[in-house]
């Protein structure tokens, strides 16, 4: 049976007849400035001499008649959809901002985010707000115009002005401000005449938290689906089902839109099976390695494990060594869990005395030591500085130590004693994750996909934004075979799109050398690929002398202002793992989780929201069939099970997740690049 699902969407009626909109091609000093991409289809009827240039503008008061403006009948069903959405967004903004007096923030395409004040949860330092977005789309998943209602978590507006805070924080800490009742960016304040910082109040962000040394308890919901639905239900009943709102947006039902059974698919059960050692199959990675061998043992037989720790942390060092050797609780040690034999190399242990700044002391010892090239070393770093520490100089040590060891051909595993203490007996659940990560770093393979090999190359591209540096980094190209075997990767800045494209072409060339030309190249991209990016990649591939079929699968997290679906069949509301829902032409929601309908589900695995997919191809005929699309969706689902840092299934496929992890770490490296030794190793787990 098809899962019984519903969207976070309300539908409303089309106008019964064409609506008169009013336009002028001269700036009247009021109204809305309309770019050429929003022009009505018949605009030349009233402005026959209007330029066809891209950067052409006209002005509109939409359906409000104004002197000097010309009217044009607009058929909402058939005219420019971007114009229609702009009109509805304008009406929604007016209702919330002007009629109700709410704080409303617009995004770059003028969609509205409404801030609902939680006065009972505010403090002397800040006002707390729930944020809800309303996105207008036209007959995307129904035959009606649609409102996508989403809950965008919470934000805080500080009650101390920018002027008052400048004695404590640097100006670059500010991002969004409330000024004269409106949201503005800090960088735009210089354009405001007589800007008064005494009357500007910042929206709290991570940088302000850091510089103000604020401790805020961000409570994660036990089940995000339930919290999310409760939030949008409350928002809908409070604001959208009012008669005055229905006058501008004629909502035709009080219930969220059901998903048609014809729009729902499920990855076949065999998608959940993974291949372990001796060709054994299992679907539950949590327990499989208790009885099965890993798919591939470490390629090294002479493995030395040594420890790096502070002189006062000897007890932690000994405890971790014992756990890795003998186990803890159901975890029975590295040998019994991932078939990893190792020698504890006490002579190479590094003991440091500077707890606050240990890097230079460790580096001096590492650089002086003679490392035996016949030995495969793995360092276990008992960090005295938690990764969650706020001070950036201390945070960098975690990454710079990894870099230092990579230049010595040494992989590393970091253990945080604070997490051990906080977990108590539950630390035993972290040890299997540590074990599979160590095996993968030593070039073993815990498990792989139970797929028949194809002559197909899968390339993953992901990104991580470092807000403190204002730079977005891309870790790519991560290369995999169709069975999920990791090959290698490169790393670039976002601006180096041609180097990125060249790297993809290089991966194809390497693959062809060893396996023959791939029948197709599948690229998992972390965002919707621009035409420029696509053209550059295709151009580089054409230089190889063969016309390749390239399939691009956009993989997006569903966050704010996005569509979600809920299950009527599950009290937890989360649809079963492997469920996918069509949300438009070649666009899908995919639910990546461990939940199997009718079976008990552990809340420890979390309640991840779906990811959003878009499928494109250089030869559209290649993706016309349902079978082919289903196979590409299934591939994304399966690659989400190849994350060797946890025995739990992940929300993102490793094709996007691994590059994101590298892009988060590499900017902190002293040299700002990946040592050659690390290009084909999973050292970052």
């Amino acid at each position: 049976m098809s899962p019984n699902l519903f969207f976070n969407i309300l539908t409303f009626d089309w106008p019964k007849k064409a609506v008169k909109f009013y336009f002028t091609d001269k700036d009247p000093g009021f109204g809305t400035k309309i770019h050429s991409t929003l022009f009505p289809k018949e605009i030349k009827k009233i402005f026959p001499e209007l330029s066809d240039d891209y950067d052409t503008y006209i002005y509109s008061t939409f359906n409000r008649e104004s002197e000097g403006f010309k009217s044009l009948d607009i058929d909402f069903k058939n005219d420019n959809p971007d114009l229609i959405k702009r009109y509805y967004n304008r009406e929604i903004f007016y209702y919330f901002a002007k009629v109700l007096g709410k704080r409303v923030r617009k995004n770059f395409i003028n969609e509205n985010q409404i801030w609902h004040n939680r006065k009972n949860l505010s403090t002397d330092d800040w006002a707390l707000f729930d944020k809800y977005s309303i996105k207008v789309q036209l007959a995307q998943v129904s035959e009606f115009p649609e409102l996508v209602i989403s809950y965008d978590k919470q934000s805080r507006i500080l009650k101390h002005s920018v002027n008052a805070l400048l004695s404590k924080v640097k100006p670059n800490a500010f991002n969004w401000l409330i000024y004269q009742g409106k949201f503005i960016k800090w960088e735009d304040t210089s354009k405001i005449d007589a800007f008064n910082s005494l009357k500007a109040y910042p929206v709290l962000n991570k940088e302000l938290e850091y510089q103000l040394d604020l401790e805020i308890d961000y409570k994660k919901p036990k089940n995000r689906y339930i919290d999310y639905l409760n939030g949008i239900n409350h928002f809908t009943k409070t604001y959208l089902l009012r008669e005055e709102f229905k006058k501008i947006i004629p909502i035709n039902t009080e219930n969220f839109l059901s998903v048609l059974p014809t729009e729902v698919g499920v990855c076949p059960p065999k998608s959940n099976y993974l291949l372990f050692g001796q060709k054994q199959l299992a679907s539950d990675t949590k327990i499989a390695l208790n009885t099965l061998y890993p798919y591939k043992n470490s390629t090294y037989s002479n493995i030395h494990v040594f420890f790096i720790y502070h002189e006062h942390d000897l007890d932690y060092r000994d405890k971790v060594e014992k756990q890795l050797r003998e186990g803890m609780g159901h975890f029975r040690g590295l040998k019994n869990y991932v078939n990893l034999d190792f020698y504890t190399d006490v002579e190479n242990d590094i003991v440091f005395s500077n707890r606050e700044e240990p890097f230079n002391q460790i580096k001096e010892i590492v650089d002086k030591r003679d490392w035996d090239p016949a030995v495969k070393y793995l360092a276990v770093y008992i960090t005295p500085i938690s990764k969650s520490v706020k001070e950036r100089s201390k945070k960098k040590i975690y990454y710079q130590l990894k870099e230092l060891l990579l230049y010595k051909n040494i992989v590393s595993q970091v253990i945080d004693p604070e997490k051990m203490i906080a977990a108590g007996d539950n630390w035993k659940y972290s040890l299997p994750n540590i074990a599979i990560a160590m095996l993968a770093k030593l070039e073993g393979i815990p498990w792989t996909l139970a797929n028949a090999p194809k002559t197909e190359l899968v390339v993953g591209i992901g990104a991580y934004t470092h807000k403190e540096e204002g730079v977005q980094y891309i870790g790519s190209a991560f290369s995999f075979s169709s069975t999920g075997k990791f090959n290698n990767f490169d790393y670039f800045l976002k601006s180096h799109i041609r180097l990125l494209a060249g790297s993809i072409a290089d991966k194809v060339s390497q693959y062809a050398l060893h396996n023959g030309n791939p029948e197709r190249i599948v690229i998992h991209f972390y965002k919707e690929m621009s035409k420029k990016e696509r053209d550059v990649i295709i151009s580089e591939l054409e230089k190889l002398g063969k016309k390749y079929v390239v399939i691009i699968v956009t993989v997006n997290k569903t966050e704010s202002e996005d569509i979600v679906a809920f299950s009527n069949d599950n009290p937890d509301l989360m649809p079963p793992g492997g469920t996918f829902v069509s949300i438009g032409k070649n666009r899908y929601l995919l639910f990546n989780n461990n939940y199997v309908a009718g079976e008990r589900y552990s809340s420890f695995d979390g309640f991840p929201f779906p990811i959003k997919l878009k499928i494109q191809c250089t030869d559209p005929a290649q993706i016309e069939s349902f079978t082919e699309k289903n196979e590409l969706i299934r591939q994304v689902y399966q690659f989400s099970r190849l994350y060797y840092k946890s025995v739990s299934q992940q929300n993102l496929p490793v094709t996007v997740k691994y590059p994101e992890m590298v892009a988060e770490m590499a900017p902190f490296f002293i040299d700002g690049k990946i040592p050659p030794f690390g290009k084909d190793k999973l050292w970052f787990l």
Side-chain angles (χ1 to χ4, degrees), residues 26 145 175 196 204 223 249 263 323 342 346 375 383 393 415 446 505 510 556 559 581 638 662:
K26 304 290 189 298
N175 187 14
N196 187 351
L204 188 64
N223 181 335
I249 306 291
E263 303 300 319
Q323 291 167 349
F342 66 95
V346 180
V375 170
T383 177
S393 60
I415 305 288
Q510 291 178 34
N556 286 144
E559 295 295 343
V581 179
Q638 287 189 299
V662 170

Side-chain angles (χ1 to χ4, degrees), residues 16 36 87 145 174 219 226 237 243 252 341 389 400 459 522 536 578 614 625 675:
K16 291 182 172 60
S36 61
Y87 162 73
F174 301 119
K219 293 181 179 178
I226 291 175
K237 290 173 183 176
E243 289 306 312
N252 53 28
D341 289 302
V389 71
Q400 291 173 351
V459 177
V522 181
V536 172
K614 179 181 178 181
S625 74

Side-chain angles (χ1 to χ4, degrees), residues 504-520:
I504 294 173
D506 183 55
K507 302 310 172 201
V508 174
S509 182
Q510 291 178 34
Y511 181 94
L513 179 65
H514 298 290
N515 305 285
N517 274 308
E519 293 179 8
R520 65 183 189 181

Side-chain angles (χ1 to χ4, degrees), residues 130 144 225 324 331 333 426 482 534 608 671:
D130 284 328
F144 297 101
Y225 283 84
L324 296 179
F331 175 72
N426 287 334
S482 62
R534 189 167 59 249
D671 285 349

Side-chain angles (χ1 to χ4, degrees), residues 20-259:
K20 283 192 184 298
F21 275 14
Y22 297 88
F23 302 93
T24 178
D25 58 351
K26 304 290 189 298
D27 186 355
F30 61 92
T32 300
K33 191 175 182 180
I34 301 292
H35 185 261
S36 61
T37 54
L38 300 179
F39 286 179
K41 291 180 179 178
E42 303 295 329
I43 192 63
K44 292 269 179 114
K45 280 187 176 180
I46 56 175
F47 300 122
E49 304 300 322
L50 192 67
S51 169
D52 291 324
D53 291 346
Y54 177 77
D55 286 325
T56 301
Y57 292 89
I58 57 176
Y59 301 84
S60 178
T61 52
F62 292 99
N63 61 340
R64 293 171 176 80
E65 186 175 1
S66 296
E67 186 177 347
F69 284 65
K70 296 182 179 181
S71 68
L72 185 66
D73 286 341
I74 305 296
D75 178 357
F76 276 37
K77 279 190 177 182
N78 299 304
D79 215 309
N80 186 336
D82 290 329
L83 175 68
I84 309 306
K85 287 189 284 187
R86 178 64 62 87
Y87 162 73
Y88 281 126
N89 283 327
R90 180 177 176 272
E91 295 297 294
I92 292 168
F93 177 84
Y94 182 85
Y95 173 76
F96 278 99
K98 304 300 183 183
V99 177
L100 298 184
K102 296 291 181 183
R103 299 199 187 283
V104 183
R105 183 169 125 186
K106 293 184 178 183
N107 67 13
F108 70 101
I109 53 174
N110 280 284
E111 291 170 348
N112 297 290
Q113 184 184 71
I114 294 88
W115 289 44
H116 173 72
N117 197 339
R118 298 291 302 274
K119 293 181 180 178
N120 60 320
L121 297 177
S122 297
T123 71
D124 292 338
D125 292 317
W126 61 68
L128 182 68
F129 292 82
D130 284 328
K131 300 178 297 184
Y132 298 91
S133 286
I134 302 178
K135 176 182 178 181
V136 178
Q137 54 187 36
L138 305 179
Q140 198 75 29
V141 292
S142 73
E143 59 186 16
F144 297 101
E146 300 153 2
L147 299 180
V148 181
I149 317 299
S150 58
Y151 174 54
D152 302 340
K153 302 180 184 178
Q154 296 179 326
S155 279
R156 292 161 172 81
I157 298 176
L158 293 178
K159 293 181 178 179
H160 307 286
S161 71
V162 167
N163 181 271
L165 293 172
L166 280 170
S167 63
K168 303 175 183 177
V169 302
K170 299 174 183 177
N172 66 357
F174 301 119
N175 187 14
W176 283 100
L177 312 175
I178 293 291
Y179 184 62
Q180 297 180 342
K182 296 179 181 179
F183 286 93
I184 62 168
K185 296 279 279 185
W186 167 252
E187 62 200 44
D188 293 331
T189 57
S190 59
K191 304 172 188 173
I192 300 174
D193 290 338
F195 170 72
N196 187 351
S197 62
L198 289 167
K199 296 183 178 180
Y201 298 89
V203 177
L204 188 64
N205 57 51
K206 290 295 182 184
E207 184 63 30
L208 277 170
E209 276 186 55
Y210 168 65
Q211 293 196 28
L212 291 171
D213 196 27
L214 295 175
E215 293 290 343
I216 297 176
D217 182 17
Y218 291 103
K219 293 181 179 178
K220 290 186 178 181
K222 182 179 179 182
N223 181 335
R224 189 179 172 194
Y225 283 84
I226 291 175
D227 275 35
Y228 191 100
L229 184 59
N230 287 341
I232 62 175
N233 271 329
H234 173 74
F235 177 77
T236 298
K237 290 173 183 176
T238 304
Y239 298 114
L240 307 186
L241 298 182
R242 291 181 178 185
E243 289 306 312
E244 55 264 39
F245 184 77
K246 290 182 180 180
K247 288 178 183 177
I248 60 170
I249 306 291
I251 293 172
N252 53 28
T253 176
E254 295 190 357
N255 298 317
F256 288 119
L257 179 68
S258 295
V259 180

